[in-house]
Amino acid sequence: MRDQEPLLRADQNRLWLRWFLDGMVSPHLAASDPLFDTLAIYETSLKKVNELYATVEKSRREALASAITAHVDDVVKKLRATHKRDYASPATRKLLIASTLTPRCYICGFEFSQPAVDAFLKVKGSAAITVPALLDVFRPRGLVMRDLGIEIDHIVPVASGGSGQNNLRIACGWCNKYKSDKVSLYEAPFLAARTENAFLIGPHKLFELPNPFWTIRILALRGFCQHFDGCAHSAKDAEMFVTPVDWKGSPNPTNLTVRCEHHLPFKNERRQASKDIEKLWGGRKK
């Protein structure tokens, strides 16, 4: 499982904990009912805890129910307040652009064009964003215009407890749409997508494509180039990509590593005509 093993195990534990907490009390269900208050959350949690752990001493069951209540109640309050927050205000947009020397996607390091920045800031008369003729096979950013634009992303999804200005970053449309509200590798399909026909990257014949969320999750958690000789580049100053460690293996999370644009194997060969990439990815053009 190479150097991604800690990432995989951490995501497995994270997802199990989320399942456990949401299984006790659904935050979305509670948020939809204005009468479902903190006491109701506690009573519901305690009832289920008593059912699951009847032999555990009472004080420990009550402590667990209180901990569950604190978490769920916090998420519920943030869900209910979501519609009141205006993260797309002009001031917020300007602040996010000014927070970095060069506006880049905080996940993959993609450098935004000036037209993309102007569109994000709603500058009148801004030029149109240019769609590239060549796209990366493993990350086909540019199949649709949204991919190249700037969007506001919550690092931690609101549904998972994220809130506040410090939780906001600018992301490219491609990363933001595939990240969505997922927080774990295990929330994406378990197998790499099989293509109808083989495709080449350099001398390597491949039949599978990595799930987009695998790419995003690995890039977001690593954030820096993992070149074996060492590299100081990160998503703050260079574009990052995932690449197979072993080209004979499937491009899944156990066999993917991060490389910057300067150390990416077969960099030119990975960039192929958009019409060919569109055909390769098929229904993933969203």
Side-chain angles (χ1 to χ4, degrees):
M1 294 175 67
R2 304 178 178 85
D3 57 359
Q4 306 300 1
E5 183 174 358
L7 185 157
L8 293 169
R9 295 194 183 283
D11 271 7
Q12 186 180 45
N13 292 334
R14 178 195 293 268
L15 183 59
W16 185 91
L17 179 59
R18 182 175 178 181
W19 282 345
F20 176 78
L21 293 173
D22 289 358
M24 289 291 183
V25 184
S26 169
H28 292 278
L29 179 62
S32 68
D33 183 356
L35 299 180
F36 207 102
D37 57 11
T38 305
L39 178 59
I41 295 174
Y42 176 77
E43 291 176 342
T44 302
S45 300
L46 182 60
K47 180 180 178 181
K48 292 192 175 182
V49 168
N50 286 336
E51 292 173 354
L52 290 172
Y53 308 107
T55 60
V56 176
E57 59 187 75
K58 181 180 179 181
S59 61
R60 295 179 63 187
R61 282 182 274 136
E62 292 176 342
L64 177 57
S66 295
I68 294 171
T69 300
H71 168 79
V72 174
D73 189 46
D74 183 56
V75 175
V76 167
K77 288 177 180 177
K78 289 170 181 174
L79 286 172
R80 287 172 175 167
T82 298
H83 70 282
K84 300 178 182 179
R85 296 195 292 268
D86 181 16
Y87 288 130
S89 69
T92 296
R93 290 170 179 267
K94 290 180 180 179
L95 182 63
L96 289 171
I97 291 295
S99 65
T100 58
L101 183 62
T102 301
R104 292 178 179 272
C105 173
Y106 85 102
I107 296 174
C108 69
F110 173 64
E111 183 176 348
F112 295 113
S113 65
Q114 189 58 49
V117 173
D118 291 343
F120 181 70
L121 296 176
K122 301 185 182 302
V123 176
K124 293 183 178 180
S126 58
I129 299 174
T130 302
V131 176
L134 301 177
L135 305 178
D136 183 74
V137 174
F138 278 176
R139 185 181 56 211
R141 182 198 298 109
L143 280 180
V144 295
M145 187 65 71
R146 175 188 173 182
D147 294 352
L148 305 168
I150 304 176
E151 299 184 0
I152 298 176
D153 179 49
H154 298 80
I155 301 175
V156 178
V158 173
S160 297
S163 66
Q165 294 290 320
N166 291 334
N167 191 46
L168 303 181
R169 295 292 186 276
I170 54 174
C172 69
W174 191 89
C175 284
N176 195 35
K177 71 181 178 183
Y178 283 117
K179 174 177 177 284
S180 187
D181 62 350
K182 295 187 286 293
V183 296
S184 162
L185 285 167
Y186 296 94
E187 292 178 80
F190 294 155
L191 300 177
R194 177 72 184 265
T195 57
E196 291 185 6
N197 301 299
F199 62 97
L200 295 175
I201 295 183
H204 303 293
K205 180 185 290 188
L206 303 174
F207 290 88
E208 297 169 292
L209 293 165
N211 183 279
F213 183 66
W214 297 346
T215 296
I216 292 164
R217 184 65 175 159
I218 291 172
L219 290 178
L221 290 183
R222 294 302 183 191
F224 61 89
C225 180
Q226 294 178 287
H227 190 260
F228 45 80
D229 286 336
C231 178
H233 288 298
S234 71
K236 294 180 179 180
D237 60 16
E239 189 169 355
M240 297 288 146
F241 301 81
V242 295
T243 186
V245 176
D246 182 352
W247 287 89
K248 293 182 180 180
S250 176
N252 64 48
T254 69
N255 189 38
L256 292 173
T257 189
V258 179
R259 291 285 188 272
C260 70
E261 57 193 89
H262 308 291
H263 290 127
L264 183 64
F266 309 109
K267 177 180 178 179
N268 293 330
E269 291 84 347
R270 285 175 57 132
R271 298 172 68 243
Q272 300 179 16
S274 59
K275 61 180 179 61
D276 295 330
I277 297 295
E278 181 177 359
K279 182 177 180 181
L280 191 66
W281 280 82
R284 290 183 179 275
K285 183 181 147 181
K286 297 179 180 179

